[in-house]
Amino acid sequence: MTAHRNLGFVAAAATLLAAAPLSAIFERWTWLIQAAIVVAVVAGAAALSRLARAPLWGQVLAMLAGLTLGLTWVFPGGTEFFAFVPTPATFGHFGDLLNASLSDMRSYGVQVPDVDSLLFLAVLGIGAVAIVVDVLTVGLRRPALAGLPMLAIYSVPVAVYVDSVPATPFVVGACGYLWLLVTDNVDRVRRFGRRFTGEGRDVDVWEASPLAAAGRRLAVVGVALAVALPLVVPGMTGGLMSAVGNGTGTGNGRPGQGGSPGRIDLFAALSGQLNQTEVTELVKVSTNEPAPFYLRFGVADELRPDGFRVRVPTGRPANRNLPDPAERGGRGVEQQRYRASVEVSKNLNMPLLPVYAEPVKTEDLGGNWLYDPNLQIVFSNRENSRGKRYSFDYVRSTFSPTALRAAPSLPADDPVLRQQTVTPAVRAVDRLVDQLVKGRANDYDKVRAIYDYFSVENGFTYSLSTRGGTSGDDITDFLATKVGFCQQYAAAMAWLVRSAGIPARVAFGFSNGSNSGGGTYVLTNRNLHAWTEVYFGGIGWVPFDATPAASVVGSVRSAWAPDTDAPEEVTPLPGSTAAPGGADPSAGPEDPDRLDKDADQGLAVGDNGPTRQSPVWPWWVAGALALLALLAVPALRRSALRRRRRARAAVPAATTLAAVPGQRGEAREIVVGVDADRARADAHAAWDELLDTLVDFHVRVDLTETPRTTAERLAREALVEDAGAVTGVRLLGRAEERARYARDPLTGEELYPALRSVRGALAARADRRTRLLAALLPPSVLLRWRNTLTDRSTRLVTTTGQVRQRLLRWNPRRLLAGRPAR
């Protein structure tokens, strides 16, 4: 048992080492401390269960109980007994954490801050892997298979990272796995006693033979090559330097935190900042453009039934030649080249860089920053924007309504049209779009009809007190209530434009902040903004801001998308005009008490109140009932088998023809026939029931003994204090012996009372735990299932071998080998 306990603790430590790759996901080491506590509780529960000589399923139940207690202690819900005993409310709290983790996984990317829901998910997964590793290593003695659940932990950062994964945590996990294998090997060798060399000299277990030492050297070299080779080959990872310490793509889209550009929820990030009461400086930008448009950093262009989502970007290094948008120029399209310098504060930490649309040249950016020409964003899988300073040249395009009206509609096979017009079917939205675009001859007029619809005249107002969500139901609610802020307007307009068959997407960035002079703008979290971009054939993406201009400080309107709520147009330049600046800011919170969680699911579209979630307790009750039903299967199987055998053993195997008076006048039965086959079957059924009863109560069963010998041994060892049980077991032994070896089986005896007396005596002799297991989880049923599974596996292996041998007979090489040479 000591060796098993040692091996169990090594399995727990190896599990923690295998979880080392998760360090690349979380910002801090809180997850490791919590995971170490939970894994230690699981390992302790396993050791105690083995000390009590519990079977494997008992060890699993003990470890599950330890996992529950550990999670309750680390993630309390406030309703526990003695701070660690869970209650039904505790499981409800766990369910809430799991539900929250689904949305938080979309909102956060590497590196993740200490969020309770994600920490709970990580610790729960590590604890579950610890149970599986313990069962495979100690219970089944298959430590090599324990590498599979360990590898499952490593697959988590592989799935999160867009480019490559740091190699050092994988080396740590591999060392833990090798430690587990070596410990198991040493334990197996110790079971055989001392080792001896060819000279007869005994050798310590740890002293390696030359062959074993060579094998270990080969294993170490193989692991080293497997780890080092991908780092050296540029095509397999990002290169040696990038894997060691050049960044891992931190950021999560929330200013001030990290995340991968393909794993962030820009809607949730923007909503969380707009609802903060504290003003935080994020970006300072200087440009020689007199009236610049919005500084942008992200795009959401994938529309699913649950709303707009961000696609994983792809691109080329941003420090090389970028695409020149000059081919978009033409009549009615003016293009001017400008230069801008950006200084990102330490409060903005994400894998995206704010730039003006259509950059053509960048400076002070390394090769880790990429540019996606389709999304027109600068991103990185290895670095973040915190404290970055860079400059870039960009092209500002302005469009006349005439040029946009003349833009041709995209053909049906155009990839942009097919990708950017995918829209879930929402009947209310489709009806509204049909009404708005009715009679419009070109794409621009259709877009303007939708754009003009979001006006104060039509009842739309600006408010931050709305919930998150960009699904069809949320869009329908927003169009009904007509209350929201920039996210609602941008996503709703993009949805309606897509429903009209025109490509559209949602862009994220900053409205123009306060001008500190010299073309320098200071942008804070109050300037975060979202707007719509529409694609026109031969021109490209054109911005439309449907949010009421009077509610957004630094809002920009243009000749092709004017302020529909203003009676006059002020046009500082042919392409753009600034909206009045005395209104409430788009980023200013109207509801200071609003929680960031309300926006964690994306764009809020006009909910009047929080969504009512379905209760979790029915699922827990259903799960508990299903678990109880599963645990009751062995007991039900044992009960059914006992009833069937009792029905046979209760009636003696004899046939009565008639009753005649005897010499003294009493009635006497005359037996004229006996069913020998039934008598033998009854005896066998009674004997099988006796053997199963012995297995249930942990009494030794020796199948090499004769029935008489087994009965005498039981009468001498197990039933010596119960005369009735001794008589009963001898009767059962005599009946089975006659059924096996005699010509005439034993008849006329009731075997079931004998079985009942033997079972009662064994139950009185056993302890409470044995009686409980015999009733709920009968070992005889589990043993029969295990033997059946083994037999079927053996037959399958035998059949497979036979099929293989038959296929080898038709091997073409054998036929060729048998042909005579010419």
Side-chain angles (χ1 to χ4, degrees), residues 466-490:
T466 51
R467 294 195 70 255
T470 57
S471 66
D473 294 337
D474 297 324
I475 294 295
T476 304
D477 293 340
F478 170 65
L479 295 176
T481 59
K482 300 183 179 182
V483 178
F485 57 107
C486 58
Q487 295 189 36
Q488 282 86 351
Y489 285 95

Side-chain angles (χ1 to χ4, degrees), residues 520-539:
T520 300
Y521 297 86
V522 178
L523 309 179
T524 69
N525 58 320
R526 300 292 180 87
N527 296 112
L528 286 166
H529 194 48
W531 62 96
T532 307
E533 293 181 343
V534 182
Y535 192 88
F536 291 89
I539 294 179

Side-chain angles (χ1 to χ4, degrees), residues 219-230:
V220 172
V221 172
V223 172
L225 289 177
V227 174
L229 184 61

